[in-house]
Amino acid sequence: MLRPLRGLSMTEGNSARHSLKAKTMQDLSYLEALMGEPVGEEGYRDIWGLASAVEGRLSDLSLQTVGKARGLADGLGAYVRFLLAGAPDEETAQTLIAHGADYVYLAPGQADAETLAAFLRERKPEIVLLDDSITNRALAARVAQALDASLVTEAEDVRADPIDRALLVTRPIYEGIASQVIACLAKPQIVTVRAGAFPLPYPDRSRTGSIEQLSASWQPDAVQYEPAPEVASPPALTTARIVVSAGRGMEDAEGFALVQQLAARLGAAIAGDRGALDMGWIGPEQQVGALGVIVTPALYIACGIEGTTEHYLGMEGARAVIALCRESDAPLLKAADWGIIGSPKEIVRALVEAMG
Amino acid sequence: MDFSLTEEQQMFRDLFAEFAAKEVAPQAAALDAEERPPLAALQKAAQQGFLGAPLPEAYGGAGLDMLGYTLLLEALGRACLSTAFTVHTHTGLAALTVLRHGTEEQKERYLPALAAGERTGAFALTEPEAGSDFGNLRTRARREGDSYVLDGTKTWVANGEIAGLFVIFACTEGGVTPFLIEREANGLTVGRRERTLGLRGLALNPLYLEGCRVLVESRLGAEGEGLAIARAAQDRGRLSVAAMSLGAAQATLDLGITFALQRKQFGVFIAEKQAIQNYLADSSAEIAALRHLVDSVAWKADQGGDYTQDAAIAKLFGSQVALRVANRMVQVHGGAGYMKDYPIERWFRDARALDIAEGPGLLQRAVIAREMLAEKGIAVVA
Amino acid sequence: MRIAVCIKQILDPRAVRLSRSREAIDPRQAARIVNPPDRYALEAALRLRERHGGEVIALSVGARDVSDALREALAMGADRAILLSDEMLAGADASGVARALARAVEHIGDVSLVLTGERALDTGGGTLPARLAQELGWPVVTDASEPQLEDSILRAFQRDEKQRWSVSVALPAVLAVTRQREKPRYPPALRIAWAYREAEVETWDCDDLGLSPEEISARHTEERNLVMPPERNLGFILSGSPEEAARSLVAELRGKRLI
């Protein structure tokens, strides 16, 4: 199934030595590295990852995932092996190696569940890390079901239990009011990792690793995808994840246009307080408050709103609040997770720029 | 007595609550400001089968008992009292009166249309010179061959200008008798809308009958049965007002609690002040008591038999609780409670009507006392 | 066309509270409701039936009290409701539940489409639709909206992290429906009365499905402790020029994955 592209020039190289340094004496996995014998349960070994290059570039999330895999591998005494799907080239593979991979396998196409499951069944990985995305969640779920593996999606944190090597994965529950630690009992242990859960690793261009070309034929998915035109309608105010809200502090139509820009940049719904209604910027159906609409977004950005009780009653359910206010004694500042005092117009303009 | 709701009733309760919160409550302020009847909500309620909910399935209903029906009124009362009164008039007064006392032909002609919202029902009993003392009605119905000719004036006819079917009470030779009269009838004129303190979404109109000729088949029940029919409707109406009062009291308490948790005075939330807590606690206790009262009277109504005194007690206590809680919650709001911008202001105006509608509290006391004394063998002429 | 809709009864996530002192979820205020995305799935199924005819069958796994959720599905318009209820299933995880549901879909027979919500809003990981598809050997489309049927090709839209896709797949298939424009309908009053007074919720156990304990009881994961989110620290003022403050705010928001 495997056709080496380049000889296994560094199979045991700096990775094994590197991990030896990090070992404690209870952890016998270093013996595996020395003797070439698996010590993991039933021969499940190494940390596998799946990455996909888009136009020759790896996403930040993929780099975060490979960095985390490296960290876990160092703790467990294991190799990091990455499947690189899409239209992979050697340069992308080298980037993975620089960020912590020991082996990179170039797959000729997108990974489909059947082939990936067959591949992993043969390879017996101890851990499989994937970037958390809609596609990968479905892929991971199919593979886990096929292999009778453990699976935890949307991981915010991944640790290995120092005693039994079991992965302890943290993920949000009840739409994020708390997080649950979940222990993986079955191997392989498959985890999809959320964006931003781990820091971007620093690349070490001097790291070396092996690159192999896989010849297996990856099946095209039975599902056909075609790009669809975006529907430009902003999200409904009551179900939007982010709400950007304007008040009289935005001064004039130009100021409100900045608020609209910020909302468009974030894919947020636009709202306002009574002041914005009086200015004619928003309709009554966009007025947030006890007398208008009550919103409960994950993030509420109040631009130039001082914050009456009436308004507060409409947005108190927001998970996080930002208040951009002119006056340092604006009531909303006390209810905000972050506040910035100054000209709301200038701050909103700076925010749009800072988001790039 | 087991008042715990069945799974079916829980489903209805949750559904009524969701419907009221999503389809009715958001319109309440606009209905009030524009003095507009809740036509859109009526249509949506009809589509869901709520308008005919207490009617048998054969007439487009869902066969809900009185307990189930009070759940609907409580939910509507918690969202918008104008809408609750509109539905109560349509369903509780008009449709259920036709169901209980109509001929098979009358039921088939009107009930499916009422359940589907194709006609809105109204109930015309009160007159300028006769309110709750409907023994003194001055509207006359003269028998002429196979028809009756009605003359007279009715006031405060709820749903007047939007109604397609009126239940109109008039005096015949045999005594008080109700008639089912369609909007299109000659000699029936709906007068100009009354302007009111609250319940501004409820259409209240005078009704003028001038040589209004209807066929004998329009008569509901036999001549002279009108008093009994009106009393049965009143019992239902009083229980219904109690259920709406329960919803309204809960709605105003919710507003007060939310406000008290946000408003700071002298550095502390006013909810932390004991005076405010007293208001909230008293209200909560009264609402809990009212809930059990409404449930038990609805249960009694469902058992059949007389519940006139119980309905009067529920109506008296319910309207008192709703008005007291609304009054306290205006106080909790302080100056904001007097502002049109805050919904508590509308609730306060609307809640005042709960005492007056279906017979004012003073009358309920007379009814309660009369029934009480009658048990002791003393007859009181009300 | 015969459509199966998998629904789950969950604790209302809007009413679930966090008890910091006990480091636990406090569900006392939370009613049991039909998982909201599953109601969207049911709505999508009913719309497909209205246009193309056929039958909608609601399917759920759980103890007897879950039949309440199925009666709600019947009230909304499902033709049949089937509850998979068995002590063996009580401890099953996502893998076992998917296996049981797949077996039930096969047992019903002639099902060409399985719809379900994109995820359960309680503790769900959003893996059930794909697991179910794997068990059935069918393709799956997750996070789909506005499904349409054209000559046994199912078309839908999917929005992933980057863009919106038009997706088509030949039936049979599994479709996980996201919250979409078509809001779940309110059940009509008469239908509720029917669902509670006359309709039957069929109950199947593992014997009916020919499921052995080994197939469904394996535990793949185990819940350990809860991690409390950091307490909100309100009133933090970011200082500096508008540009500096904006940059540090954007960094904070990215760090907390709020944007």
Side-chain angles (χ1 to χ4, degrees):
Chain A
M1 193 172 187
L2 294 178
R3 182 169 58 84
L5 184 75
R6 248 169 45 163
L8 295 184
S9 57
M10 55 75 47
T11 32
E12 65 275 338
N14 76 25
S15 163
R17 249 178 278 124
H18 184 62
S19 48
L20 263 180
K21 272 190 285 181
K23 290 284 82 47
T24 59
M25 286 313 285
Q26 293 95 323
D27 187 341
L28 300 177
S29 56
Y30 71 100
L31 287 176
E32 173 189 349
L34 286 175
M35 301 164 68
E37 293 288 325
V39 292
E41 173 199 343
E42 298 159 38
Y44 286 99
R45 55 194 295 190
D46 291 347
I47 299 175
W48 283 75
L50 177 69
S52 178
V54 180
E55 288 159 10
R57 245 190 115 248
L58 289 164
S59 68
D60 282 358
L61 173 54
S62 290
L63 297 177
Q64 289 163 3
T65 306
V66 70
K68 183 63 198 179
R70 177 77 265 149
L72 285 170
D74 289 347
L76 294 170
Y79 292 118
V80 173
R81 301 170 187 267
F82 257 72
L83 267 171
L84 187 51
D89 55 55
E90 213 168 303
E91 197 186 325
T92 317
Q94 289 296 351
T95 308
L96 275 179
I97 291 168
H99 285 85
D102 300 312
Y103 295 83
V104 178
Y105 302 85
L106 306 181
Q110 291 301 338
D112 73 280
E114 294 309 318
T115 319
L116 184 61
F119 184 74
L120 294 178
R121 189 176 282 125
E122 188 180 308
R123 291 301 183 125
K124 292 196 163 192
E126 185 173 14
I127 295 167
V128 182
L129 299 185
L130 294 88
D131 304 343
D132 187 68
S133 68
I134 282 172
T135 318
N136 276 356
R137 274 203 294 276
L139 181 67
R142 290 197 83 127
V143 168
Q145 189 73 11
L147 299 182
D148 245 336
S150 319
L151 169 62
V152 184
T153 55
E154 297 166 288
E156 299 170 323
D157 190 23
V158 183
R159 287 172 292 132
D161 189 316
I163 295 164
D164 62 4
R165 295 174 72 96
L167 278 192
L168 300 172
V169 188
T170 310
R171 70 177 303 277
I173 56 168
Y174 287 106
E175 301 201 84
I177 64 168
S179 298
Q180 176 83 55
V181 176
I182 295 173
C184 295
L185 307 178
K187 301 269 168 35
Q189 308 168 97
I190 307 178
V191 178
T192 70
V193 178
R194 267 190 147 180
F198 304 110
L200 267 180
Y202 292 102
D204 174 2
R205 297 281 169 200
S206 66
R207 286 194 87 251
T208 51
S210 142
I211 301 172
E212 285 181 32
Q213 177 76 48
L214 298 184
S215 62
S217 62
W218 297 75
Q219 306 296 321
D221 202 326
V223 183
Q224 304 293 318
Y225 291 85
E226 282 166 40
E230 289 292 326
V231 274
S233 64
L237 188 51
T238 48
T239 53
R241 212 184 71 81
I242 305 179
V243 172
V244 177
S245 198
R248 291 186 78 112
M250 294 314 297
E251 297 176 36
D252 48 24
E254 183 201 0
F256 183 65
L258 288 167
V259 171
Q260 288 174 310
Q261 274 181 39
L262 180 63
R265 178 69 190 70
L266 294 168
I270 297 177
D273 68 351
R274 170 66 182 266
L277 178 72
D278 291 343
M279 297 294 281
W281 295 338
I282 58 162
E285 72 287 349
Q286 288 170 289
Q287 185 196 338
V288 168
L291 310 179
V293 185
I294 292 173
V295 297
T296 53
L299 178 63
Y300 186 85
I301 306 181
C303 310
I305 294 176
E306 301 290 298
T308 58
T309 302
E310 190 275 325
H311 180 70
Y312 184 81
L313 296 182
M315 43 67 73
E316 61 176 329
R319 231 32 96 65
V321 176
I322 295 169
L324 315 175
C325 301
R326 185 178 299 281
E327 307 294 339
S328 60
D329 61 354
L332 199 59
L333 285 172
K334 293 192 194 71
D337 299 72
W338 297 281
I340 301 179
I341 300 163
S343 155
K345 234 167 140 176
E346 281 176 36
I347 299 165
V348 173
R349 189 178 286 126
L351 267 177
V352 174
E353 271 170 31
M355 281 169 192
Chain B
M1 276 183 279
D2 179 10
F3 294 141
S4 60
L5 298 181
T6 63
E7 279 189 354
E8 179 189 331
Q9 287 165 334
Q10 287 175 34
M11 168 100 207
F12 273 115
R13 182 197 57 196
D14 295 349
L15 178 67
F16 292 152
E18 189 181 341
F19 178 85
K22 285 194 182 152
E23 308 289 347
V24 178
Q27 306 303 325
L31 296 182
D32 178 69
E34 297 160 24
E35 305 192 25
R36 189 158 49 82
L39 294 178
L42 274 185
Q43 280 312 311
K44 282 183 182 160
Q47 280 164 21
Q48 291 309 126
F50 295 168
L51 289 189
L55 299 176
E57 294 179 15
Y59 302 117
L64 230 57
D65 55 14
M66 276 308 276
L67 184 55
Y69 179 56
T70 56
L71 294 175
L72 173 63
L73 292 176
E74 181 194 338
L76 293 175
R78 194 168 175 172
C80 168
L81 276 175
S82 288
T83 306
F85 267 100
T86 303
V87 170
H88 150 64
T89 304
H90 172 89
T91 303
L93 295 183
L96 284 181
T97 297
V98 175
L99 174 71
R100 300 278 153 81
H101 310 285
T103 61
E104 191 51 44
E105 200 188 350
Q106 287 169 333
K107 290 193 243 184
E108 275 171 16
R109 180 171 172 84
Y110 293 118
L111 292 182
L114 289 170
E118 290 158 10
R119 279 182 191 273
T120 302
F123 194 80
L125 178 60
T126 307
E127 296 184 359
E129 304 301 323
S132 301
D133 53 339
F134 41 71
N136 297 324
L137 293 184
R138 294 192 53 197
T139 299
R140 299 277 173 245
R142 248 179 317 116
R143 178 78 185 247
E144 286 185 6
D146 61 353
S147 55
Y148 285 91
V149 178
L150 282 81
D151 285 286
T153 303
K154 296 285 176 184
T155 50
W156 304 323
V157 178
N159 291 357
E161 67 191 40
I162 61 171
L165 177 69
F166 295 87
V167 181
I168 298 177
F169 287 78
C171 285
T172 63
E173 279 182 12
V176 175
T177 309
F179 293 86
L180 299 178
I181 302 183
E182 297 175 11
R183 174 57 167 263
E184 302 79 15
N186 284 326
L188 180 148
T189 312
V190 177
R192 194 183 59 87
R193 175 92 169 269
E194 305 290 350
R195 309 209 57 201
T196 49
L197 170 72
L199 292 187
R200 290 183 174 178
L202 179 68
L204 283 173
N205 304 74
L207 202 62
Y208 304 106
L209 296 154
E210 293 154 320
C212 179
R213 183 180 294 272
V214 295
L215 292 174
V216 172
E217 288 78 54
S218 306
R219 194 184 66 211
L220 193 67
E223 281 194 9
E225 279 185 11
L227 287 184
I229 293 174
R231 287 216 176 93
Q234 275 195 333
D235 288 346
R236 264 197 318 278
R238 287 169 182 163
L239 172 56
S240 300
V241 171
M244 288 187 253
S245 301
L246 174 59
Q250 188 66 53
T252 49
L253 177 59
D254 290 345
L255 287 174
I257 291 172
T258 315
F259 189 88
L261 285 171
Q262 297 314 327
R263 175 77 169 169
K264 272 193 174 177
Q265 284 290 299
F266 308 107
V268 297
F269 290 117
I270 60 171
E272 296 174 60
K273 293 184 180 294
Q274 204 160 38
I276 300 292
Q277 291 176 351
N278 287 348
Y279 284 147
L280 301 177
D282 284 350
S283 302
S284 180
E286 290 178 0
I287 289 170
L290 176 57
R291 182 174 301 284
H292 285 283
L293 182 58
V294 169
D295 282 355
S296 75
V297 177
W299 177 85
K300 193 162 179 187
D302 284 329
Q303 305 309 302
D306 181 74
Y307 67 106
T308 298
Q309 188 182 13
D310 307 83
I313 288 173
K315 158 76 174 49
L316 174 66
F317 183 66
S319 59
Q320 285 177 344
V321 168
L323 197 49
R324 271 204 298 269
V325 174
N327 194 26
R328 287 185 195 122
M329 295 310 129
V330 169
Q331 199 62 37
V332 167
H333 277 68
Y338 212 62
M339 298 288 153
K340 282 233 177 258
D341 279 352
Y342 282 81
I344 190 69
E345 180 265 350
R346 167 172 49 82
W347 281 103
F348 181 70
R349 286 185 287 109
D350 287 354
R352 190 63 186 79
L354 293 165
D355 174 75
I356 299 166
E358 300 299 330
L362 293 170
L363 180 84
Q364 306 306 325
R365 290 182 176 90
V367 171
I368 296 163
R370 182 188 69 205
E371 299 279 326
M372 239 166 58
L373 293 171
E375 284 169 23
K376 307 276 180 209
I378 304 165
V380 179
V381 180
Chain C
M1 182 171 63
R2 192 174 264 182
I3 306 172
V5 183
C6 301
I7 62 176
K8 184 182 183 189
Q9 193 178 55
I10 63 168
L11 291 170
D12 187 347
R14 290 163 299 187
V16 165
R17 300 275 174 267
L18 194 61
S19 163
R20 284 188 183 275
S21 54
R22 292 187 291 119
E23 295 211 343
I25 294 291
D26 174 1
R28 282 173 299 181
Q29 301 295 320
R32 298 197 155 272
I33 62 167
V34 174
N35 179 41
D38 296 347
R39 294 179 66 197
Y40 281 84
L42 183 56
E43 177 64 35
L46 295 173
R47 279 170 187 265
L48 286 171
R49 185 191 64 187
E50 277 157 17
R51 180 168 293 185
H52 304 285
E55 191 185 14
V56 172
I57 302 168
L59 202 53
S60 192
V61 176
R64 297 277 164 164
D65 58 2
V66 174
S67 67
D68 202 26
L70 286 169
R71 287 195 194 277
E72 189 171 336
L74 287 168
M76 275 177 73
D79 300 289
R80 272 174 81 189
I82 300 168
L83 175 65
L84 312 183
S85 193
D86 197 303
E87 273 180 31
M88 276 181 359
L89 278 167
D93 60 14
S95 159
V97 168
R99 208 157 276 163
L101 285 171
R103 201 62 65 84
V105 167
E106 287 162 358
H107 197 70
I108 293 166
D110 204 24
V111 174
S112 45
L113 178 62
V114 175
L115 289 177
T116 185
E118 51 165 331
R119 63 164 63 226
L121 297 186
D122 51 358
T123 56
T127 66
L128 184 91
R131 288 178 181 276
L132 189 51
Q134 181 64 25
E135 286 294 322
L136 290 165
W138 296 358
V140 63
V141 180
T142 56
D143 290 78
S145 63
E146 299 168 52
Q148 304 276 337
L149 190 69
E150 291 166 28
D151 307 329
S152 86
I153 300 287
L154 193 75
R155 293 180 197 285
F157 292 101
Q158 182 193 59
R159 176 180 292 287
D160 67 9
E161 290 73 9
K162 293 186 195 74
Q163 70 169 101
R164 191 157 170 267
W165 298 93
S166 170
V167 184
S168 54
V169 62
L171 297 182
V174 177
L175 200 70
V177 177
T178 187
R179 291 181 193 222
Q180 56 182 10
R181 214 176 39 224
E182 280 109 20
K183 301 258 177 301
R185 63 196 64 190
Y186 299 112
L190 179 57
R191 195 78 201 166
I192 300 177
W194 169 80
Y196 280 92
R197 293 172 205 168
E198 289 162 44
E200 188 202 351
V201 172
E202 298 162 57
T203 307
W204 293 355
D205 62 17
C206 287
D207 283 345
D208 295 326
L209 299 175
L211 274 171
S212 64
E214 302 79 56
E215 286 178 282
I216 47 172
S217 59
R219 304 275 310 162
H220 302 82
T221 55
E222 182 180 84
E223 290 179 4
R224 296 271 172 90
N225 55 305
L226 278 190
V227 180
M228 300 290 109
E231 299 236 22
R232 270 174 89 176
N233 190 8
L234 297 181
F236 183 77
I237 305 292
L238 295 156
S239 54
S241 69
E243 288 73 25
E244 288 161 1
R247 270 198 300 276
S248 32
L249 179 58
V250 169
E252 285 273 2
L253 293 177
R254 291 214 167 112
K256 295 233 162 33
R257 296 197 296 284
L258 282 164
I259 59 172

